[in-house]
Amino acid sequence: MTLVFHAASGSPYVWRVWLALEQRRIPFELRMLSFDRGDLKTPEFAAVNPRRRVPAIEHDGFALYESAAIVEYLDEIDATGPRLFPADLRQRAIVRRMVREADQYFAEALEALVAQLLFTPQAKWSEAAIAHARGTLVDELARWEQAITGDFLAGALSAADFTLFPELALALRIAKRKPGLDLDTALGPRLNAWRDRMQALDIVQRTWPPHWHAPNLAS
């Protein structure tokens, strides 16, 4: 049975799973849902994920939601593509730690920024909340600058890269809504090179959120 992937454009959690599916070369049926149409509120989708959030998958009668859990599941499926977690016990633990760090610290500040700049009318923006979120993101970017151990976050391309990159891409995109936020300038040379390296990957280009403009890599 083909794996069914329930997605919505622009979510970094959806993008993480999409990247994992492409990297593992797992055949899947993409079902792109719309927040505006209320697709996540239907009884049919609630049967897949009672929390009514994406991403979610269905595979041979098994439904699973929460992106980190889905990525681990996809790593265990018999597939032809590279694994998402290293075979070495300690290296695998490091990748899992990085995934947790990105979700716990970077994504938490990102969601605070999204709440202000996407879901709050500009007249009601909290400058204090925005400044706090930016400060936390800048601190996190400095930590990740020091954490990179090679071309990719943990040396080889892994679930850690597929977790942080979509979150960073969204943070940089959202920050452009407020002049002077300048998150791009907080990227150190290693993190900036990693961002460019990730952005140039074929699987990243193929899965770029449909409603975003794909980056011009020739410029």
Side-chain angles (χ1 to χ4, degrees), residues 53-65:
R53 302 180 71 175
V54 285
I57 63 169
E58 296 176 85
H59 185 227
D60 291 339
F62 173 63
L64 184 64
Y65 52 93

PDB file of all heavy atoms in Angstrom, residues 53-65:
ATOM      1  N   ARG A  53      -3.846  18.357  13.042  1.00  0.00           N
ATOM      2  CA  ARG A  53      -2.663  19.108  12.620  1.00  0.00           C
ATOM      3  C   ARG A  53      -1.879  18.275  11.616  1.00  0.00           C
ATOM      4  O   ARG A  53      -1.963  17.040  11.596  1.00  0.00           O
ATOM      5  CB  ARG A  53      -1.769  19.455  13.832  1.00  0.00           C
ATOM      6  CG  ARG A  53      -2.490  20.251  14.907  1.00  0.00           C
ATOM      7  CD  ARG A  53      -1.604  20.570  16.086  1.00  0.00           C
ATOM      8  NE  ARG A  53      -0.591  21.566  15.739  1.00  0.00           N
ATOM      9  CZ  ARG A  53       0.261  22.084  16.629  1.00  0.00           C
ATOM     10  NH1 ARG A  53       0.215  21.693  17.896  1.00  0.00           N
ATOM     11  NH2 ARG A  53       1.133  22.998  16.259  1.00  0.00           N
ATOM     12  N   VAL A  54      -1.137  18.965  10.779  1.00  0.00           N
ATOM     13  CA  VAL A  54      -0.238  18.295   9.846  1.00  0.00           C
ATOM     14  C   VAL A  54       1.201  18.512  10.318  1.00  0.00           C
ATOM     15  O   VAL A  54       1.483  19.488  11.029  1.00  0.00           O
ATOM     16  CB  VAL A  54      -0.416  18.849   8.408  1.00  0.00           C
ATOM     17  CG1 VAL A  54      -1.677  18.327   7.780  1.00  0.00           C
ATOM     18  CG2 VAL A  54      -0.375  20.374   8.382  1.00  0.00           C
ATOM     19  N   PRO A  55       2.069  17.543   9.933  1.00  0.00           N
ATOM     20  CA  PRO A  55       1.878  16.412   9.026  1.00  0.00           C
ATOM     21  C   PRO A  55       1.264  15.198   9.719  1.00  0.00           C
ATOM     22  O   PRO A  55       1.277  15.104  10.946  1.00  0.00           O
ATOM     23  CB  PRO A  55       3.308  16.104   8.581  1.00  0.00           C
ATOM     24  CG  PRO A  55       4.135  16.423   9.801  1.00  0.00           C
ATOM     25  CD  PRO A  55       3.477  17.652  10.396  1.00  0.00           C
ATOM     26  N   ALA A  56       0.772  14.311   8.867  1.00  0.00           N
ATOM     27  CA  ALA A  56       0.323  12.998   9.322  1.00  0.00           C
ATOM     28  C   ALA A  56       0.511  12.044   8.156  1.00  0.00           C
ATOM     29  O   ALA A  56       0.528  12.467   6.987  1.00  0.00           O
ATOM     30  CB  ALA A  56      -1.138  13.036   9.768  1.00  0.00           C
ATOM     31  N   ILE A  57       0.665  10.773   8.466  1.00  0.00           N
ATOM     32  CA  ILE A  57       0.805   9.768   7.406  1.00  0.00           C
ATOM     33  C   ILE A  57      -0.143   8.609   7.685  1.00  0.00           C
ATOM     34  O   ILE A  57      -0.554   8.379   8.829  1.00  0.00           O
ATOM     35  CB  ILE A  57       2.259   9.241   7.272  1.00  0.00           C
ATOM     36  CG1 ILE A  57       2.701   8.524   8.555  1.00  0.00           C
ATOM     37  CG2 ILE A  57       3.219  10.358   6.881  1.00  0.00           C
ATOM     38  CD1 ILE A  57       4.017   7.751   8.405  1.00  0.00           C
ATOM     39  N   GLU A  58      -0.469   7.907   6.618  1.00  0.00           N
ATOM     40  CA  GLU A  58      -1.161   6.626   6.709  1.00  0.00           C
ATOM     41  C   GLU A  58      -0.344   5.613   5.918  1.00  0.00           C
ATOM     42  O   GLU A  58       0.060   5.891   4.781  1.00  0.00           O
ATOM     43  CB  GLU A  58      -2.568   6.725   6.124  1.00  0.00           C
ATOM     44  CG  GLU A  58      -3.505   7.670   6.849  1.00  0.00           C
ATOM     45  CD  GLU A  58      -4.830   7.772   6.151  1.00  0.00           C
ATOM     46  OE1 GLU A  58      -5.699   6.918   6.412  1.00  0.00           O
ATOM     47  OE2 GLU A  58      -4.992   8.711   5.334  1.00  0.00           O
ATOM     48  N   HIS A  59      -0.114   4.444   6.518  1.00  0.00           N
ATOM     49  CA  HIS A  59       0.736   3.448   5.875  1.00  0.00           C
ATOM     50  C   HIS A  59       0.256   2.051   6.261  1.00  0.00           C
ATOM     51  O   HIS A  59       0.346   1.663   7.425  1.00  0.00           O
ATOM     52  CB  HIS A  59       2.199   3.637   6.309  1.00  0.00           C
ATOM     53  CG  HIS A  59       3.163   2.740   5.612  1.00  0.00           C
ATOM     54  ND1 HIS A  59       4.144   2.033   6.266  1.00  0.00           N
ATOM     55  CD2 HIS A  59       3.290   2.430   4.293  1.00  0.00           C
ATOM     56  CE1 HIS A  59       4.844   1.332   5.393  1.00  0.00           C
ATOM     57  NE2 HIS A  59       4.343   1.564   4.196  1.00  0.00           N
ATOM     58  N   ASP A  60      -0.294   1.339   5.287  1.00  0.00           N
ATOM     59  CA  ASP A  60      -0.793  -0.020   5.539  1.00  0.00           C
ATOM     60  C   ASP A  60      -1.759  -0.063   6.721  1.00  0.00           C
ATOM     61  O   ASP A  60      -1.656  -0.934   7.599  1.00  0.00           O
ATOM     62  CB  ASP A  60       0.371  -0.986   5.775  1.00  0.00           C
ATOM     63  CG  ASP A  60       1.186  -1.224   4.511  1.00  0.00           C
ATOM     64  OD1 ASP A  60       0.651  -0.984   3.416  1.00  0.00           O
ATOM     65  OD2 ASP A  60       2.354  -1.643   4.621  1.00  0.00           O
ATOM     66  N   GLY A  61      -2.681   0.884   6.766  1.00  0.00           N
ATOM     67  CA  GLY A  61      -3.677   0.904   7.820  1.00  0.00           C
ATOM     68  C   GLY A  61      -3.219   1.495   9.132  1.00  0.00           C
ATOM     69  O   GLY A  61      -3.981   1.524  10.110  1.00  0.00           O
ATOM     70  N   PHE A  62      -1.996   2.011   9.154  1.00  0.00           N
ATOM     71  CA  PHE A  62      -1.407   2.599  10.363  1.00  0.00           C
ATOM     72  C   PHE A  62      -1.322   4.104  10.184  1.00  0.00           C
ATOM     73  O   PHE A  62      -0.751   4.594   9.203  1.00  0.00           O
ATOM     74  CB  PHE A  62      -0.014   2.011  10.595  1.00  0.00           C
ATOM     75  CG  PHE A  62       0.769   2.658  11.705  1.00  0.00           C
ATOM     76  CD1 PHE A  62       0.336   2.606  13.021  1.00  0.00           C
ATOM     77  CD2 PHE A  62       1.972   3.323  11.433  1.00  0.00           C
ATOM     78  CE1 PHE A  62       1.067   3.192  14.047  1.00  0.00           C
ATOM     79  CE2 PHE A  62       2.710   3.907  12.445  1.00  0.00           C
ATOM     80  CZ  PHE A  62       2.248   3.842  13.760  1.00  0.00           C
ATOM     81  N   ALA A  63      -1.898   4.853  11.104  1.00  0.00           N
ATOM     82  CA  ALA A  63      -1.848   6.317  11.049  1.00  0.00           C
ATOM     83  C   ALA A  63      -0.860   6.825  12.090  1.00  0.00           C
ATOM     84  O   ALA A  63      -0.800   6.298  13.207  1.00  0.00           O
ATOM     85  CB  ALA A  63      -3.230   6.916  11.296  1.00  0.00           C
ATOM     86  N   LEU A  64      -0.089   7.843  11.708  1.00  0.00           N
ATOM     87  CA  LEU A  64       0.910   8.407  12.625  1.00  0.00           C
ATOM     88  C   LEU A  64       0.984   9.908  12.413  1.00  0.00           C
ATOM     89  O   LEU A  64       0.947  10.392  11.277  1.00  0.00           O
ATOM     90  CB  LEU A  64       2.280   7.768  12.375  1.00  0.00           C
ATOM     91  CG  LEU A  64       3.426   8.168  13.311  1.00  0.00           C
ATOM     92  CD1 LEU A  64       3.148   7.729  14.747  1.00  0.00           C
ATOM     93  CD2 LEU A  64       4.753   7.596  12.818  1.00  0.00           C
ATOM     94  N   TYR A  65       1.084  10.636  13.497  1.00  0.00           N
ATOM     95  CA  TYR A  65       1.277  12.080  13.433  1.00  0.00           C
ATOM     96  C   TYR A  65       2.395  12.469  14.394  1.00  0.00           C
ATOM     97  O   TYR A  65       2.925  11.625  15.109  1.00  0.00           O
ATOM     98  CB  TYR A  65      -0.020  12.843  13.730  1.00  0.00           C
ATOM     99  CG  TYR A  65      -0.730  12.465  15.014  1.00  0.00           C
ATOM    100  CD1 TYR A  65      -0.499  13.149  16.195  1.00  0.00           C
ATOM    101  CD2 TYR A  65      -1.659  11.423  15.033  1.00  0.00           C
ATOM    102  CE1 TYR A  65      -1.160  12.809  17.371  1.00  0.00           C
ATOM    103  CE2 TYR A  65      -2.326  11.077  16.204  1.00  0.00           C
ATOM    104  CZ  TYR A  65      -2.070  11.763  17.367  1.00  0.00           C
ATOM    105  OH  TYR A  65      -2.716  11.422  18.519  1.00  0.00           O
TER     106      TYR A  65
END
